[in-house]
């Protein structure tokens, strides 16, 4: 329990540091600027935190022991995802508190705070879903971080692209984003399910599958 609190506390502090950097380095003349920048840059925390939560056991070479000894794999997986999302939600809440405190600026309208929470949470969950799937396939922190960084950079460059896969859809089309974020939540759920299905096959499944594939290719 204490170890878990220390682990989560470490990443909450990291998320707060990222929040402060974003708040102090970006131009925010309006609350809309704050919302847009939160949607685009805070998910970096979701990427890093998700990678370390999903691949923590691989750091200590305990993934096989965990797989064999863990009977209720689905429950462990769900608890891990809930923990990740809970910490991310904490960062989202602390971020808005810091914004109001540092800049002494409140939200002009009640719906703005709603937009902030909905769009930022969906962006976090979407990145978490993609990151979790990448982690289950790659099984390497460095590889997962590289792929997710490229994914994030791609959408930062193409932030105005009106695509269902754009995690910054509110920035692209602030007047018509509701349908897209609902679809992104559905996609995220599908990604979580796929991640669990891969995880339950064992930590060596991707490697074994690739070896079998290349072996068959050579024989043909």
């Amino acid at each position: 329990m204490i170890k878990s609190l220390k682990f989560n506390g470490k990443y909450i502090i990291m998320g707060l540091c990222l929040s402060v950097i974003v708040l102090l380095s970006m131009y925010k003349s309006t609350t809309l600027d704050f919302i847009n920048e939160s949607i685009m840059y805070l998910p970096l925390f979701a990427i890093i935190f998700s990678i370390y939560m999903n691949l923590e056991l691989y750091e200590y070479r305990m993934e096989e022991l965990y797989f064999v000894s863990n009977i209720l794999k689905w429950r462990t997986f769900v608890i891990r995802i809930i923990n990740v999302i809970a910490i991310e939600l904490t960062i989202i809440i602390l971020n808005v508190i810091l914004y109001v405190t540092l800049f002494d600026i409140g939200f002009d309208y009640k719906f703005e705070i709603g937009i902030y929470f909905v769009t930022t949470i969906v962006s976090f969950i979407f990145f978490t879903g993609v990151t979790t799937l990448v982690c289950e396939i790659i099984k390497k922190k460095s590889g997962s971080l590289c792929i997710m960084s490229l994914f994030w950079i791609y959408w930062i460059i193409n932030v105005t692209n009106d695509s269902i896969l754009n995690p910054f859809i509110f920035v692209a089309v602030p007047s018509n984003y509701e349908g897209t974020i609902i679809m992104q939540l559905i996609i995220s759920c599908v990604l979580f399910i796929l991640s669990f299905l891969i995880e339950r096959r064992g930590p060596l499944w991707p490697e074994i599958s690739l070896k079998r594939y290349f072996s068959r290719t050579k024989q043909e």
Side-chain angles (χ1 to χ4, degrees):
M1 180 68 177
I2 295 175
K3 183 179 179 181
S4 177
L5 288 173
K6 287 182 178 179
F7 180 82
N8 291 338
K10 178 178 70 175
Y11 283 99
I12 288 175
I13 292 172
M14 185 185 75
L16 281 174
C17 291
L18 175 62
S19 175
V20 170
I21 291 172
V22 172
L23 287 173
L24 295 180
S25 61
M26 303 297 175
Y27 176 74
K28 285 166 281 297
S29 61
T30 65
T31 52
L32 182 61
D33 295 322
F34 164 72
I35 293 171
N36 288 341
E37 289 163 10
S38 297
I39 294 170
M40 291 190 294
Y41 296 101
L42 283 187
L44 285 171
F45 171 78
I47 293 173
I48 297 171
F49 186 52
S50 297
I51 289 173
Y52 278 85
M53 282 295 289
N54 284 293
L55 299 178
E56 181 188 12
L57 292 171
Y58 288 80
E59 185 176 349
Y60 303 102
R61 305 289 183 180
M62 295 176 60
E63 64 274 12
E64 292 183 41
L65 178 62
Y66 164 81
F67 178 76
V68 173
S69 61
N70 186 18
I71 299 174
L72 298 175
K73 295 179 176 62
W74 65 269
R75 189 176 70 176
T76 305
F77 180 84
V78 170
I79 291 174
R80 185 169 74 242
I81 297 302
I82 290 175
N83 185 44
V84 170
I85 294 175
I87 296 299
E88 292 172 352
L89 181 59
T90 302
I91 296 302
I92 291 171
I93 294 172
L94 292 175
N95 182 60
V96 73
I97 293 173
L98 282 173
Y99 170 70
V100 175
T101 303
L102 292 176
F103 293 92
D104 194 25
I105 300 174
F107 288 85
D108 296 331
Y109 303 99
K110 289 183 179 180
F111 76 88
E112 286 184 342
I113 192 72
I115 290 173
Y116 165 76
F117 278 109
V118 170
T119 54
T120 310
I121 288 171
V122 172
S123 181
F124 267 63
I125 292 176
F126 188 70
F127 269 104
T128 301
V130 176
T131 305
T132 302
L133 181 61
V134 170
C135 288
E136 292 299 337
I137 295 173
I138 303 298
K139 305 291 187 183
K140 299 288 185 182
K141 286 184 179 179
S142 56
S144 300
L145 184 60
C146 180
I147 290 173
M148 289 310 302
S149 296
L150 291 174
F151 180 78
W152 177 78
I153 291 171
Y154 174 83
W155 286 113
I156 285 291
I157 295 173
N158 299 279
V159 69
T160 57
N161 190 342
D162 183 7
S163 169
I164 195 173
L165 296 178
N166 184 357
F168 317 127
I169 192 64
F170 177 75
V171 181
V173 280
S175 60
N176 186 25
Y177 64 92
E178 294 87 351
T180 302
I181 63 174
I182 291 173
M183 289 303 300
Q184 288 180 350
L185 284 175
I186 295 173
I187 292 172
S188 300
C189 291
V190 173
L191 294 176
F192 287 133
I193 293 171
L194 288 174
S195 300
F196 171 70
L197 293 176
I198 294 173
E199 181 177 296
R200 68 179 295 186
R201 297 181 74 93
L204 300 178
W205 176 74
E207 182 180 348
I208 293 173
S209 298
L210 285 173
K211 286 182 179 179
R212 287 177 179 174
Y213 172 77
F214 287 117
S215 177
R216 290 174 183 173
T217 304
K218 288 181 180 180
Q219 290 176 0
E220 293 175 358

